[in-house]
Amino acid sequence: MIVLKLNISRIASIPAAFVGATIRIFLDLALDGGTIHNGAWIAALLSALPSIPYLLCLDAVQSDKRMAIPLRFMLLSVTALDAAHVLSICVRAAGCLTLDYVPAHFLALPLALAVLWCVWRNGDAVGYAAILWIRVFPVLLLLVVTLQMRHYNARWLLPLLGNGFPDIIRSGVRASGWFIPATAIYYVTDRSGDKSGRRPLSAWLSFAPAVAALLLILRLMMAPAGLYGLTWEARLDALLTNGRAPLYLQLPMMLVFFFSAFHLLTCECFAASALLQRLAPALDGRLCAAVVTVACTGLSLSGFTVTAVDFIAPWLYVAVAATAALSSLLQGAPKGGERPCNG
């Protein structure tokens, strides 16, 4: 049996990471980050600032060095945890929209099997699906915006600072933390034979928060921010089945939401599987994918991620970015006993 090596080309990893980061930042600020406020779109823009030095550190880290092991382990941990949380978001959303009660494990199992099948197709399949989604998503979004145009109210964006600038900063730091697992697929890029490998193309990923900010502005113009901010279910209802929007718009909104969340889930599960294989190269990629998928499904169904995500969110960016910076610095330092050649 041929061993499956999990990898993704650079041309496919950047679109996959871009779409994943956009979706993750939007989900955090629109659903998970507590009561949505008018400054959420500003927080999304602020989250782009810390992402640039982090991406530059990833570009500097050479994946075949031993100094990358701590970074790989940390990325594996946070990416698998966030994948489990994204799976729980999909399951909770599906449960809210079903007419009858359906046990969570019945909703999670088909998603887990679909993710496993996608990861087994390897990274380029995930990345090129993101390229297709980049072409389809604007069409669906334009359809929704056009049909909802008369329902938008720009006055609901006021006051611009929402709950105040300190809350915007806290939300921006939290969002920049979730940028990390959403773009972990970029770290496992196969750069062999890639002539563009030395160019910092990852800078394009820093535009993902701007797209998330645009989506948040559209969301905020549909209903007053504080009206649907009490519970997670209420925020989901305001996003997907807003009572001010025509009933026929619910289907496009649900398609956009679930397809986007599924892409994010697939990206994070693939990245976690590839990171696991890089930590244990003897393992087959299919086995790594199965281990990650089972672990994420178990964490999701246990309810552990709901509390864990809120606990690590304020510290996630600092911890992972510091590890990436230290790894890049140590890899750039000369080893003991080696001297540069002067001849």
Side-chain angles (χ1 to χ4, degrees):
M1 184 177 180
I2 300 176
V3 175
L4 175 64
K5 176 66 174 178
L6 295 174
N7 54 48
I8 182 171
S9 63
R10 191 177 179 86
I11 195 173
S13 68
I14 292 179
F18 180 86
V19 176
T22 302
I23 297 163
R24 188 64 186 93
I25 292 172
F26 176 80
L27 288 179
D28 181 69
L29 294 174
L31 284 178
D32 285 343
T35 302
I36 186 171
H37 55 84
N38 290 341
W41 67 275
I42 303 176
L45 293 176
L46 287 179
S47 70
L49 298 179
S51 69
I52 296 174
Y54 167 73
L55 291 170
L56 292 176
C57 287
L58 283 193
D59 276 325
V61 172
Q62 301 177 25
S63 59
D64 59 344
K65 298 288 186 177
R66 287 183 298 175
M67 288 299 177
I69 292 178
L71 178 60
R72 290 177 185 175
F73 182 79
M74 182 167 286
L75 279 176
L76 170 60
S77 302
V78 300
T79 304
L81 178 63
D82 195 48
H85 184 62
V86 174
L87 178 59
S88 69
I89 290 176
C90 295
V91 170
R92 291 174 69 187
C96 290
L97 296 174
T98 53
L99 298 178
D100 297 319
Y101 170 75
V102 180
H105 58 276
F106 284 142
L107 297 172
L109 183 59
L111 280 172
L113 292 175
V115 167
L116 183 61
W117 183 85
C118 291
V119 175
W120 281 355
R121 303 280 74 77
N122 221 331
D124 279 359
V126 178
Y128 284 112
I131 296 176
L132 177 62
W133 186 231
I134 288 174
R135 296 173 180 175
V136 173
F137 176 78
V139 177
L140 288 175
L141 183 63
L142 180 62
L143 172 65
V144 172
V145 171
T146 302
L147 295 175
Q148 287 187 167
M149 185 64 69
R150 64 189 181 92
H151 298 285
Y152 288 129
N153 190 341
R155 289 178 297 176
W156 282 335
L157 292 174
L158 301 175
L160 288 178
L161 296 183
N163 297 337
F165 202 66
D167 199 19
I168 291 176
I169 294 178
R170 284 193 294 268
S171 299
V173 171
R174 177 185 173 111
S176 66
W178 297 126
F179 180 90
I180 289 174
T183 57
I185 193 171
Y186 175 74
Y187 177 76
V188 297
T189 299
D190 180 12
R191 304 188 185 187
S192 59
D194 188 355
K195 296 180 180 180
S196 65
R198 293 184 178 274
R199 290 183 292 170
L201 297 180
S202 61
W204 285 102
L205 300 182
S206 60
F207 288 99
V211 180
L214 174 62
L215 298 177
L216 285 165
I217 289 175
L218 295 175
R219 155 68 185 87
L220 289 167
M221 288 195 299
M222 276 300 294
L227 183 60
Y228 295 102
L230 298 179
T231 66
W232 190 93
E233 289 76 12
R235 293 192 293 274
L236 177 71
D237 183 71
L239 177 63
L240 299 183
T241 61
N242 189 296
R244 300 180 62 250
L247 186 63
Y248 54 79
L249 279 181
Q250 292 185 13
L251 179 59
M253 286 295 296
M254 292 176 188
L255 289 176
V256 170
F257 177 84
F258 282 107
F259 284 162
S260 300
F262 181 77
H263 169 77
L264 172 62
L265 176 62
T266 304
C267 280
E268 292 189 340
C269 284
F270 173 81
S273 303
L275 286 164
L276 177 60
Q277 189 176 47
R278 280 154 178 73
L279 287 171
L283 294 180
D284 184 89
R286 286 173 286 262
L287 177 60
C288 293
V291 169
V292 167
T293 304
V294 170
C296 291
T297 305
L299 284 173
S300 174
L301 293 176
S302 69
F304 171 77
T305 61
V306 176
T307 55
V309 162
D310 287 333
F311 177 76
I312 70 170
W315 315 103
L316 179 59
Y317 175 81
V318 174
V320 181
T323 305
L326 183 61
S327 298
S328 62
L329 289 174
L330 290 178
Q331 287 180 168
K335 296 181 180 179
E338 294 184 357
R339 296 181 180 274
C341 178
N342 296 323

